[in-house]
């Protein structure tokens, strides 16, 4: 007796063929290379990569907690945390600006101080901040590194390498030099909707300054920082800021599809170009200045001017940056070690 009649056997065969065909299409489609899909899978896998919970990761996690994976990073060494003969330290002034600024005190919870030596790390811990001691591979980064000296350039490149590592770990960064006074919460002046990859301060016009910038972690910015850091090998004697300018003017930013915002000096001021509006100024950077004692003297006046403004709300001119102007002619200056 047959197991099935002709019609039922035909239906069974047809169903089996359809099922086999569906399985073939399913598995063969996975074998066919789709460049766009492969790239997207690669990006997603990179983002899911788990970094080891080392000291840096632990420090970043603490500092970025509750702040959408955004961390404020500043770098200090012994020269920035010890008295250089002007009673206060650069770190003292930097932290005081957060206390004196409008809406800035809570931001200390998201500040990570990167120490280049043990003295700076110990002082950071004493101030009960989020601290990380950067690996320096035996290079001495302790004393003051005068602008454009060999050690200054080396320190800037070490900083760039660290920030590249932070971006790779998926953290967004606000980097700030320690000679930047935070007078207002900058988040209200920054685009935080993801439309800009980098927002960077300027000395005037589009002359970028790497003393203050906001960078989002994504493939474009990671590629930029990798290229930037790699160029140190062919840019002997150039500081990292000039190399970044070179990349910008070469069109490399455009090649990566980077969206860049330049922060106006009205809001993100500096000694190169003062903001004329104390009612709008957010940060003040002691750029266009050579050494630490001059910066401390003139930034002390900045905080004094700021306190006067807060008491009166009368917009006045900043005190002249006399010591910083003189620092360019101070050829006999010897850094303290």
């Amino acid at each position: 007796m047959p197991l099935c009649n002709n019609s039922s056997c035909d239906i069974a065969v047809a169903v089996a063929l359809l099922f086999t065909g569906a399985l073939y299409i399913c598995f063969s489609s996975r074998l066919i290379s789709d460049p766009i899909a492969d790239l997207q899978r690669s990006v997603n896998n990179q983002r899911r990569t788990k970094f080891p919970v080392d000291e840096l990761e632990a420090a970043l996690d603490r500092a970025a907690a509750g702040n959408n994976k955004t961390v404020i990073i500043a770098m200090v060494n012994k020269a920035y945390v010890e008295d250089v003969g002007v009673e206060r330290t650069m770190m003292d002034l930097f932290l005081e600006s957060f206390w004196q600024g409008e809406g800035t005190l809570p931001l200390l919870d998201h500040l990570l101080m990167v120490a280049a030596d043990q003295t700076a790390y110990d002082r950071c811990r004493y101030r009960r901040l989020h601290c990380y001691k950067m690996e320096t591979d035996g290079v001495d980064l302790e004393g003051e590194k005068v602008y454009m000296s060999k050690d200054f350039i080396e320190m800037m490149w070490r900083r760039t390498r660290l920030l590249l590592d932070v971006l790779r770990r998926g953290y967004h960064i606000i980097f700030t030099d320690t000679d930047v006074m935070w007078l207002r919460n900058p988040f209200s002046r920054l685009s935080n909707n993801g439309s800009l990859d980098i927002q960077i301060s300027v000395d005037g016009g589009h002359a970028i300054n790497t003393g203050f910038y906001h960078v989002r972690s994504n493939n474009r910015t990671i590629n930029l920082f990798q290229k930037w850091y790699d160029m140190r090998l062919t840019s002997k004697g150039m500081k990292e800021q000039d190399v970044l300018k070179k990349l910008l003017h070469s069109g490399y930013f455009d090649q990566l599809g980077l969206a860049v915002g330049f922060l106006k000096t009205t809001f993100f001021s500096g000694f190169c170009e003062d903001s004329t509006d104390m009612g709008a100024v957010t940060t003040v950077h002691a750029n266009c200045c050579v050494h630490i004692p001059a910066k401390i003297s003139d930034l002390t006046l900045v905080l004094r001017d700021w306190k006067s403004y807060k008491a009166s709300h009368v917009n006045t001119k900043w005190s002249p940056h006399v010591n910083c102007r003189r620092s360019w002619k101070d050829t006999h200056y010897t850094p303290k070690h």
Side-chain angles (χ1 to χ4, degrees), residues 229-238 243 246:
Y229 181 66
D230 289 345
M231 284 186 68
R232 79 196 184 284
L233 300 174
T234 55
S235 306
K236 188 175 181 179
M238 291 179 69
V243 174
K246 186 176 179 181

Tab-separated table of all heavy atoms in Angstrom, residues 229-238 243 246:
chain	number	residue	atom	x	y	z
A	229	TYR	N	48.259	61.832	16.206
A	229	TYR	CA	49.347	61.323	17.036
A	229	TYR	C	50.449	60.703	16.173
A	229	TYR	O	51.641	60.873	16.450
A	229	TYR	CB	48.803	60.292	18.039
A	229	TYR	CG	49.869	59.736	18.946
A	229	TYR	CD1	50.518	60.552	19.864
A	229	TYR	CD2	50.241	58.393	18.868
A	229	TYR	CE1	51.518	60.050	20.693
A	229	TYR	CE2	51.233	57.888	19.698
A	229	TYR	CZ	51.864	58.724	20.603
A	229	TYR	OH	52.849	58.233	21.422
A	230	ASP	N	50.085	59.993	15.121
A	230	ASP	CA	51.077	59.373	14.241
A	230	ASP	C	51.969	60.418	13.568
A	230	ASP	O	53.143	60.150	13.281
A	230	ASP	CB	50.393	58.522	13.171
A	230	ASP	CG	49.781	57.243	13.743
A	230	ASP	OD1	50.126	56.881	14.896
A	230	ASP	OD2	48.948	56.627	13.055
A	231	MET	N	51.421	61.616	13.329
A	231	MET	CA	52.188	62.647	12.620
A	231	MET	C	53.326	63.231	13.449
A	231	MET	O	54.165	63.963	12.920
A	231	MET	CB	51.244	63.760	12.151
A	231	MET	CG	50.431	63.372	10.933
A	231	MET	SD	49.453	64.760	10.278
A	231	MET	CE	50.755	65.841	9.675
A	232	ARG	N	53.375	62.902	14.748
A	232	ARG	CA	54.494	63.384	15.565
A	232	ARG	C	55.819	62.867	15.007
A	232	ARG	O	56.872	63.512	15.158
A	232	ARG	CB	54.317	62.920	17.011
A	232	ARG	CG	54.719	61.482	17.254
A	232	ARG	CD	54.200	60.913	18.554
A	232	ARG	NE	54.710	59.555	18.780
A	232	ARG	CZ	54.257	58.475	18.159
A	232	ARG	NH1	53.279	58.582	17.269
A	232	ARG	NH2	54.780	57.290	18.424
A	233	LEU	N	55.769	61.706	14.335
A	233	LEU	CA	56.989	61.080	13.824
A	233	LEU	C	57.592	61.857	12.658
A	233	LEU	O	58.795	61.742	12.390
A	233	LEU	CB	56.681	59.638	13.388
A	233	LEU	CG	56.141	58.710	14.494
A	233	LEU	CD1	55.732	57.366	13.913
A	233	LEU	CD2	57.171	58.535	15.605
A	234	THR	N	56.766	62.621	11.972
A	234	THR	CA	57.249	63.393	10.812
A	234	THR	C	57.099	64.899	11.045
A	234	THR	O	57.129	65.669	10.090
A	234	THR	CB	56.475	62.988	9.540
A	234	THR	OG1	55.061	63.147	9.770
A	234	THR	CG2	56.769	61.554	9.165
A	235	SER	N	56.939	65.286	12.303
A	235	SER	CA	56.720	66.703	12.623
A	235	SER	C	57.669	67.147	13.737
A	235	SER	O	57.266	67.781	14.708
A	235	SER	CB	55.267	66.930	13.051
A	235	SER	OG	54.365	66.436	12.092
A	236	LYS	N	58.916	66.807	13.595
A	236	LYS	CA	59.906	67.108	14.628
A	236	LYS	C	59.978	68.610	14.883
A	236	LYS	O	60.039	69.415	13.952
A	236	LYS	CB	61.279	66.588	14.207
A	236	LYS	CG	62.325	66.683	15.308
A	236	LYS	CD	63.637	66.043	14.878
A	236	LYS	CE	64.670	66.134	15.997
A	236	LYS	NZ	65.963	65.498	15.613
A	237	GLY	N	59.936	68.967	16.173
A	237	GLY	CA	60.033	70.369	16.548
A	237	GLY	C	58.719	71.120	16.502
A	237	GLY	O	58.655	72.285	16.895
A	238	MET	N	57.640	70.457	16.046
A	238	MET	CA	56.323	71.087	15.998
A	238	MET	C	55.495	70.658	17.194
A	238	MET	O	55.490	69.483	17.552
A	238	MET	CB	55.575	70.704	14.716
A	238	MET	CG	56.152	71.285	13.446
A	238	MET	SD	55.210	70.755	11.979
A	238	MET	CE	53.659	71.638	12.248
A	243	VAL	N	50.406	70.858	14.475
A	243	VAL	CA	50.171	69.692	13.621
A	243	VAL	C	48.672	69.538	13.354
A	243	VAL	O	48.255	69.219	12.232
A	243	VAL	CB	50.744	68.419	14.274
A	243	VAL	CG1	50.363	67.181	13.460
A	243	VAL	CG2	52.256	68.533	14.401
A	246	LYS	N	47.670	71.945	10.801
A	246	LYS	CA	48.105	71.455	9.489
A	246	LYS	C	47.101	70.455	8.930
A	246	LYS	O	46.765	70.497	7.732
A	246	LYS	CB	49.494	70.816	9.632
A	246	LYS	CG	50.153	70.396	8.340
A	246	LYS	CD	51.553	69.869	8.607
A	246	LYS	CE	52.238	69.411	7.326
A	246	LYS	NZ	53.602	68.880	7.605
